[in-house]
Amino acid sequence: MLITAIWTFSWGWFFAGFVCLVAGAFIIKFHQAIANNLASGLASYEKVKLFGLITCIVGLVFITNLHSVILYLIMHFIVPNKFPL
């Protein structure tokens, strides 16, 4: 497979992923205050904590620049002739 030809390291995506990871960590750390002040009691604490965890996972995907590989594979399954493996 040519997945390694699709993946390249990028400092820009590394820093964007790091910022996303730090934001997710702050959301997890202060989930009660965020839920009380921003969610107006409509969301539970666990939903805000889950959002922070998803943000951390997306940050890790951005840091490793795997989002381009994932998007390429999705496009390959939709239009295989335009995006060969």
Side-chain angles (χ1 to χ4, degrees), residues 1-53:
M1 291 180 67
L2 299 174
I3 299 276
T4 55
I6 300 166
W7 183 84
T8 56
F9 182 77
S10 171
W11 282 105
W13 280 111
F14 177 81
F15 289 121
F18 185 74
V19 168
C20 190
L21 186 67
V22 169
F26 277 122
I27 290 172
I28 291 173
K29 174 133 177 89
F30 302 111
H31 69 278
Q32 289 179 341
I34 292 171
N36 288 338
N37 294 325
L38 297 178
S40 301
L42 296 176
S44 67
Y45 295 144
E46 297 300 319
K47 287 182 184 178
V48 175
K49 205 187 293 189
L50 177 66
F51 178 73
L53 182 64

Side-chain angles (χ1 to χ4, degrees), residues 25-84:
F26 277 122
I27 290 172
I28 291 173
K29 174 133 177 89
F30 302 111
H31 69 278
Q32 289 179 341
I34 292 171
N36 288 338
N37 294 325
L38 297 178
S40 301
L42 296 176
S44 67
Y45 295 144
E46 297 300 319
K47 287 182 184 178
V48 175
K49 205 187 293 189
L50 177 66
F51 178 73
L53 182 64
I54 291 171
T55 306
C56 287
I57 292 170
V58 167
L60 287 174
V61 169
F62 284 169
I63 284 175
T64 57
N65 205 19
L66 287 176
H67 65 283
S68 59
V69 175
I70 294 169
L71 291 174
Y72 188 87
L73 290 174
I74 289 172
M75 291 306 295
H76 169 73
F77 289 125
I78 294 173
V79 189
N81 293 332
K82 299 282 183 178
F83 298 93

